[in-house]
Amino acid sequence: QGLPTGLVALIGQAEKSSSAMASVSPSPDIPPFMESKEESKGDKKTAQLQEDGKSQQSDASGRNKVWSLNDADDIKNKVRENLLKSDVYNVFDYYHEAGYVQWVAKHTVFDNTTLAVIALNAIWMGYDTDYNKSASLMEAEAQFIAIENFFCAYFFGEWLIRFLAFKQKKHCCGDSWFVFDSVLVFLMVMETWIFVIFFGGANPFGDNTAILRLFRLLRLTRLVKMLKSLPQLLILVRGMVTALKSVIYVIVLLVGITYIFAIACTQLSDGTPSIHEKYFDGVGLSIYSLIVYATFLDALSDFLNDIRAESTVLLLVVSIYIFLSALTVMNMLIGVLCEVIQAVAETEKEELLCEQVSSEMKQVLDSLDDDSNGMISLDEMKAILGDPFACKSLDNCGVDAVGMLDFAEMFFFDDNGAPIEITFERFMELILDLRATNSATLKDIMNLGKQLNGKTEQMQKFVDAKIKNVDDRVTDLQKEMKQGQEKIQDQLSEILSSLKK
């Protein structure tokens, strides 16, 4: 009362502003020096939280680094790695890119025809062995001369086509199959044409016909080429080679058991002249008898009846040997062979599958690669999945083409959500890993953990950024509130000083 109307209005407005500031301020009644201490404590707490968050992120990144070192992506299947590399050896890469000769050499009909001629040549060699009794080709009947020249001409022509198909002839020495064919064709030409032309069909080695027979026997090695086109037969051969070491150990065990029992049977049969002279007259004969009769079970009943008629103790010893050798060791050998062949078969199937799918996908990618950079983007993957040939190839190897789109985010986007491109080798690894027949392994669990850690770290960074933004906003509001309070206090001080005057 008694104050000017404008001054009263100014005081009321200041009080309203002060009350509004106090309602927003977290500590309006705290003195300025205490407020600064609280702010400093809050800033320290916020800084501590941020440092803890950074330390956690660094720990997480450290764990991710260790995880990546132990990740299964760094330890890929060796077969798959070698097959998916872009530098895998292919003889067609060294052929001319244009021309009739390279077209014939690359054609599948040419390969299949060669395999058929090889098979016919093998059959003919059996017929020639039985019915061709002449010492040289010129002395043989007309049918043998004609057929031998036909095979020689075809194999020489096949070799010549492949030789001319090479862009640089020096590369033919680096192809093992071509070198192998060259040796066989040379021997066949020598026997069929060179000896006939320069020696009149006579044996150039005189009476020594063993060398000519060796030349003819070496032709049978041409059948090895058929292994290249018969995967199942190749699996058996590789299984035999792989199991050779285990077979040797089993044979050593069998020989040791046989040697021990041979000594025992030789000594125990001294009082039985009949079976001692027939089966166990010395350690060598005892080993032979035990192997033939008690291991291979040839005429086993006669062998045991002869022993039973003269010595029950010896019959018991031989029965124990039969249990150890024929029933235990030999069946164990069968089990080892089955296990090794099964492992080799799985490896070979994986190799054939990688070769087939990689070749088919490479063809599709070459036709759909718009920028020709050899990389695969998300759009190119969609185009690949839209190709019927590619979808059929994926279905043959057990991959759900539609389900691949569900994993596109994992493959074609980085941690920040930006689209990326992947190599063809990485794309093929993803295809083979997404087969429905694959079972979950520790590698998959580790890979899942790696992805979850990445997502968790992303979310942590996002939350930390939001918290920092809120902290910054609260700090700015506190500064504004403090400035407003100081302004109001200055105005009130001026008003009170004017009233006192």
Side-chain angles (χ1 to χ4, degrees):
Q1 297 178 359
L3 293 176
T5 306
L7 183 60
V8 173
L10 181 60
I11 294 172
Q13 183 179 0
E15 290 177 351
K16 289 180 181 179
S17 300
S18 179
S19 62
M21 291 292 182
S23 63
V24 178
S25 177
S27 56
D29 298 330
I30 299 178
F33 66 92
M34 293 293 294
E35 187 177 13
S36 62
K37 290 183 179 180
E38 291 294 333
E39 287 179 358
S40 63
K41 289 181 180 180
D43 294 339
K44 290 181 180 179
K45 188 175 182 181
T46 303
Q48 184 66 30
L49 290 174
Q50 292 177 355
E51 290 178 1
D52 294 341
K54 291 180 180 179
S55 63
Q56 291 176 0
Q57 291 176 8
S58 62
D59 293 340
S61 62
R63 286 194 300 268
N64 288 337
K65 185 176 181 181
V66 175
W67 189 293
S68 63
L69 291 175
N70 295 323
D71 189 25
D73 290 340
D74 297 333
I75 311 174
K76 292 297 180 184
N77 184 281
K78 296 302 180 183
V79 175
R80 186 181 299 179
E81 274 187 356
N82 294 331
L83 290 173
L84 296 181
K85 286 180 180 178
S86 57
D87 57 350
V88 174
Y89 177 77
N90 186 359
V91 67
F92 292 165
D93 297 336
Y94 299 95
Y95 285 177
H96 288 285
E97 298 177 357
Y100 180 76
V101 175
Q102 63 86 25
W103 178 80
V104 173
K106 294 179 180 179
H107 207 285
T108 56
V109 175
F110 180 69
D111 288 336
N112 294 333
T113 303
T114 301
L115 292 176
V117 173
I118 291 174
L120 291 175
N121 181 250
I123 297 173
W124 171 255
M125 288 184 65
Y127 179 82
D128 181 80
T129 302
D130 288 340
Y131 297 100
N132 186 11
K133 305 301 182 181
S134 58
S136 64
L137 182 62
M138 292 298 296
E139 299 174 1
E141 298 179 5
Q143 58 173 339
F144 297 104
I145 297 176
I147 298 298
E148 287 293 335
N149 280 275
F150 166 75
F151 283 125
C152 185
Y154 181 86
F155 289 130
F156 179 77
E158 185 243 351
W159 175 87
L160 184 62
I161 289 174
R162 296 192 184 279
F163 176 76
L164 295 176
F166 279 97
K167 184 183 299 184
Q168 296 183 7
K169 307 309 177 187
K170 63 180 181 179
H171 290 152
C172 65
C173 298
D175 185 71
S176 57
W177 284 110
F178 184 83
V179 174
F180 177 71
D181 282 342
S182 300
V183 174
L184 294 181
V185 169
F186 173 77
L187 295 177
M188 195 170 192
V189 169
M190 288 289 293
E191 180 189 0
T192 307
W193 292 341
I194 301 300
F195 292 167
V196 171
I197 294 175
F198 292 97
F199 299 97
N203 186 0
F205 304 102
D207 296 333
N208 189 2
T209 60
I211 298 179
L212 286 179
R213 288 198 297 269
L214 179 62
F215 278 16
R216 293 185 179 182
L217 288 176
L218 287 175
R219 294 187 195 177
L220 293 174
T221 57
R222 191 181 295 274
L223 293 174
V224 176
K225 287 192 66 176
M226 299 188 69
L227 296 178
K228 189 177 180 181
S229 301
L230 299 174
Q232 300 300 328
L233 186 59
L234 186 62
I235 288 173
L236 294 177
V237 173
R238 289 187 178 178
M240 291 172 57
V241 175
T242 306
L244 184 61
K245 184 177 180 180
S246 300
V247 171
I248 291 175
Y249 287 139
V250 174
I251 292 176
V252 169
L253 176 61
L254 180 62
V255 169
I257 295 174
T258 305
Y259 180 74
I260 294 172
F261 277 86
I263 295 175
C265 291
T266 302
Q267 295 178 356
L268 292 174
S269 62
D270 282 341
T272 56
S274 178
I275 60 174
H276 180 79
E277 182 179 354
K278 186 176 181 181
Y279 301 114
F280 305 113
D281 190 10
V283 176
L285 182 59
S286 298
I287 291 176
Y288 172 81
S289 301
L290 291 176
I291 291 292
V292 173
Y293 299 113
T295 302
F296 297 151
L297 306 181
D298 183 25
L300 178 62
S301 59
D302 297 336
F303 179 62
L304 293 179
N305 287 332
D306 292 341
I307 296 175
R308 181 174 60 86
E310 297 192 22
S311 176
T312 305
V313 176
L314 188 57
L315 177 64
L316 179 61
V317 173
V318 172
S319 300
I320 295 174
Y321 174 80
I322 293 173
F323 174 78
L324 291 176
S325 63
L327 300 181
T328 303
V329 176
M330 297 303 291
N331 284 302
M332 182 175 64
L333 176 60
I334 295 174
V336 169
L337 290 175
C338 292
E339 183 179 0
V340 172
I341 291 177
Q342 181 181 3
V344 172
E346 292 177 357
T347 304
E348 292 296 325
K349 288 179 181 178
E350 179 76 10
E351 182 178 346
L352 293 174
L353 181 63
C354 290
E355 288 181 351
Q356 179 183 358
V357 178
S358 178
S359 176
E360 294 175 353
M361 285 295 141
K362 190 67 175 177
Q363 295 178 5
V364 176
L365 178 62
D366 292 340
S367 62
L368 298 177
D369 192 5
D370 298 331
D371 48 10
S372 301
N373 60 351
M375 306 290 286
I376 301 176
S377 63
L378 180 60
D379 294 334
E380 290 174 345
M381 190 199 76
K382 292 179 180 179
I384 290 175
L385 297 181
D387 186 270
F389 178 74
C391 291
K392 183 178 179 181
S393 177
L394 292 174
D395 184 68
N396 290 335
C397 69
V399 176
D400 184 10
V402 179
M404 285 187 64
L405 294 175
D406 298 333
F407 299 93
E409 181 181 358
M410 300 169 55
F411 307 144
F412 294 96
F413 294 93
D414 59 11
D415 295 337
N416 297 323
I420 60 174
E421 294 183 346
I422 61 176
T423 61
F424 175 75
E425 290 76 15
R426 176 60 178 163
F427 180 68
M428 288 304 305
E429 289 178 1
L430 297 175
I431 288 178
L432 297 175
D433 287 339
L434 290 177
R435 285 177 292 175
T437 55
N438 291 344
S439 57
T441 60
L442 180 60
K443 178 194 76 171
D444 302 318
I445 298 174
M446 293 178 65
N447 192 22
L448 177 62
K450 177 184 175 183
Q451 295 175 3
L452 289 178
N453 284 342
K455 296 294 183 182
T456 304
E457 185 177 354
Q458 259 186 326
M459 294 178 63
Q460 183 68 33
K461 291 180 179 179
F462 177 78
V463 172
D464 290 341
K466 290 295 183 182
I467 292 175
K468 187 177 183 302
N469 291 335
V470 172
D471 289 340
D472 293 341
R473 182 59 179 164
V474 170
T475 303
D476 294 339
L477 289 175
Q478 288 178 348
K479 291 180 180 179
E480 292 177 1
M481 291 164 56
K482 185 178 179 181
Q483 292 175 358
Q485 288 177 354
E486 291 177 353
K487 185 177 181 181
I488 292 172
Q489 288 177 359
D490 293 340
Q491 292 177 353
L492 290 176
S493 300
E494 292 178 358
I495 293 171
L496 291 175
S497 61
S498 63
L499 289 174
K500 290 179 180 179
K501 293 179 179 180

